[in-house]
């Protein structure tokens, strides 16, 4: 995506595929706040759901085949392994 971020005179980036996956949704509508990137390059997405701030991180699981999703909300941390 760098070509789209730096300068518009470059060709747009082509997607790597069209097999989009949705994360499990709980609770309600989300209001996007932003994100931060850890030193290892993994982003944590920040949003509000029903007035509560949520931190949502998705990284490769230790088995190399699935994803580990960690959500923090109201001082509680929940970790789950996701596969599609």
């Amino acid at each position: 995506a760098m070509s789209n971020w730096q300068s518009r005179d470059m060709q747009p980036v082509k997607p790597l595929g069209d097999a989009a996956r949705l994360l499990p949704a709980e609770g309600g509508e989300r209001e996007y706040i932003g994100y931060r990137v850890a030193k290892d390059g993994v982003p944590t997405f920040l949003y509000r759901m029903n007035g509560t701030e949520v931190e949502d991180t998705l990284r490769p699981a230790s088995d190399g085949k699935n994803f580990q999703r960690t959500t923090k909300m109201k001082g509680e941390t929940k970790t789950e392994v996701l596969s599609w």
Side-chain angles (χ1 to χ4, degrees), residues 1-46:
M2 184 177 254
S3 64
N4 282 344
W5 295 336
Q6 288 187 339
S7 175
R8 292 291 177 189
D9 60 342
M10 300 171 100
Q11 293 294 318
V13 210
K14 293 183 181 178
L16 297 176
D18 59 2
R21 301 289 189 257
L22 296 175
L23 290 175
E26 301 168 357
E29 196 168 316
R30 296 174 181 165
E31 175 191 351
Y32 179 70
I33 298 171
Y35 70 96
R36 67 174 177 263
V37 179
K39 289 180 182 180
D40 62 0
V42 175
T44 294
F45 298 96
L46 311 170

Side-chain angles (χ1 to χ4, degrees), residues 22-80:
L22 296 175
L23 290 175
E26 301 168 357
E29 196 168 316
R30 296 174 181 165
E31 175 191 351
Y32 179 70
I33 298 171
Y35 70 96
R36 67 174 177 263
V37 179
K39 289 180 182 180
D40 62 0
V42 175
T44 294
F45 298 96
L46 311 170
Y47 55 89
R48 243 181 241 107
M49 188 169 54
N50 300 326
T52 302
E53 291 191 10
V54 180
E55 298 180 12
D56 198 336
T57 307
L58 188 69
R59 66 177 62 243
S62 59
D63 65 7
K65 298 177 183 177
N66 297 296
F67 292 96
Q68 176 181 308
R69 182 183 187 193
T70 304
T71 52
K72 294 181 183 179
M73 180 173 23
K74 295 182 181 178
E76 294 182 23
T77 301
K78 177 182 172 185
T79 301
E80 59 187 324

